[in-house]
């Protein structure tokens, strides 16, 4: 991606201070391991000085620091918020889409078990050893990671990422553009018990839905 394209996409967040606007970066790198043809983010002057002598191509820093840099062979981009710039630029231009591709080119892997009543969109990807129960709906461009389980009457919306080893119980509704990280469980029974006069516990059946709305990110082991 070129500096010009970054600034065009995020014109209210990033601007070029100086340097070649057509200079490009093909990867991102850390401050401690600068690489050629890379974009790097920096918020302190000491690190910035070191990176000016490194092989990186594009440097994104805060406006105050950017104003102190003399023209050199780097393209310097200024922003009011380095962390926000990192979040937006990386998501748009350096996302890890290669992680969410069909395994061995199989959109629905041969080891997956998909019930005949399930509705899986033509662009969804179902990874190895996934189990999809009756009357489940999987939306367009959604990725279901290996060894995940989705139980009866649940739905996962469009453009979702369900990472490996996620359990989604019955009657769960997940909206579009959600991401669920590994080892998370959604829609199991809560701690619901009735008690009689003697203090005995009677477990309450949990039959209602769990609803996750749009654009939700759920971390690992939740």
């Amino acid at each position: 991606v070129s500096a010009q394209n970054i600034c065009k996409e995020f014109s209210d967040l990033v601007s070029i201070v100086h340097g070649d606007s057509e200079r490009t970066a093909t990867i991102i790198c850390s401050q401690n391991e600068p690489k050629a043809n890379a974009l790097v983010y920096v918020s302190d002057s000491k690190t910035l000085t070191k990176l000016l002598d490194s092989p990186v191509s594009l440097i994104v820093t805060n406006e105050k620091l950017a104003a102190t840099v003399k023209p050199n062979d780097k393209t310097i981009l200024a922003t009011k918020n380095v962390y926000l710039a990192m979040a937006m630029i990386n998501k748009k231009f350096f996302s890890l889409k290669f992680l969410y591709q069909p395994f061995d080119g199989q959109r629905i892997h041969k080891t997956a078990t998909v019930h005949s009543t399930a509705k899986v969109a033509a662009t969804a990807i179902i990874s190895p050893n996934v189990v999809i129960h009756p009357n489940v709906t999987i939306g367009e461009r959604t990725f279901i990671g290996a060894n995940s389980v989705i139980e009866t009457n649940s739905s996962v919306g469009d453009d979702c990422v369900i990472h490996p080893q996620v359990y989604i119980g019955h009657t769960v509704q997940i909206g579009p553009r959600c991401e669920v990280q590994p080892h998370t469980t959604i829609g199991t029974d809560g701690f619901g018990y009735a008690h009689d006069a003697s203090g005995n516990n009677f477990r309450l059946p949990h039959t209602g839905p769990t609803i996750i709305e749009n654009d939700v990110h759920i971390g690992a082991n939740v």
Side-chain angles (χ1 to χ4, degrees):
V1 60
S2 70
Q4 185 178 45
N5 286 344
I6 291 172
C7 293
K8 183 178 179 180
E9 182 71 26
F10 303 109
S11 58
D12 58 341
L13 180 63
V14 183
S15 60
I16 298 173
V17 175
H18 60 71
D20 182 2
S21 65
E22 295 297 328
R23 184 172 285 119
T24 63
T26 57
I27 57 173
I28 52 176
C29 70
S30 71
Q31 300 172 354
N32 297 326
E33 296 182 4
K35 298 178 180 179
N37 302 314
L39 179 149
V40 66
Y41 305 89
V42 58
S43 298
D44 67 277
S45 59
K46 184 177 180 180
T47 303
L48 177 59
T49 299
K50 292 180 179 179
L51 290 171
L52 290 172
D53 292 324
S54 74
V56 301
S57 297
L58 308 180
I59 298 175
V60 178
T61 189
N62 62 62
E63 292 176 340
K64 184 177 179 180
L65 284 177
T68 68
V69 178
K70 296 179 181 180
N72 58 13
D73 63 345
K74 303 289 184 288
T75 297
I76 308 299
L77 295 88
T79 180
K80 291 182 174 65
N81 188 326
V82 174
Y83 285 105
L84 179 59
M86 181 188 297
M88 302 299 287
I89 293 169
N90 287 0
K91 181 178 180 180
K92 176 66 178 180
F93 297 110
F94 300 101
S95 64
L96 303 178
K97 292 183 179 179
F98 64 89
L99 294 176
Y100 315 127
Q101 300 300 313
F103 191 89
D104 283 342
Q106 301 175 57
R107 188 181 64 81
I108 299 179
H109 195 265
K110 63 183 179 182
T111 61
T113 302
V114 180
H115 194 271
S116 61
T117 61
K119 297 178 181 178
V120 179
T123 54
I125 295 170
I126 310 299
S127 301
N129 300 312
V130 167
V131 178
I132 297 180
H133 286 237
N135 301 316
V136 167
T137 301
I138 307 295
E140 299 287 350
R141 298 170 300 280
T142 284
F143 174 88
I144 309 296
N147 301 303
S148 293
V149 175
I150 304 177
E151 289 195 336
T152 302
N153 298 328
S154 290
S155 63
V156 182
D158 297 343
D159 300 297
C160 291
V161 175
I162 308 299
H163 285 262
Q165 298 181 322
V166 167
Y167 169 83
I168 297 173
H170 71 84
T171 329
V172 171
Q173 301 170 28
I174 298 178
R177 301 175 302 280
C178 291
E179 182 173 7
V180 183
Q181 295 283 349
H183 301 288
T184 282
T185 295
I186 300 175
T188 54
D189 287 357
F191 299 101
Y193 291 86
H195 312 282
D196 64 13
S198 300
N200 296 307
N201 299 316
F202 298 88
R203 181 169 171 266
L204 293 170
H206 290 71
T207 59
T210 297
I211 300 173
I212 309 296
E213 296 190 355
N214 305 352
D215 303 288
V216 177
H217 178 268
I218 299 176
N221 296 303
V222 172

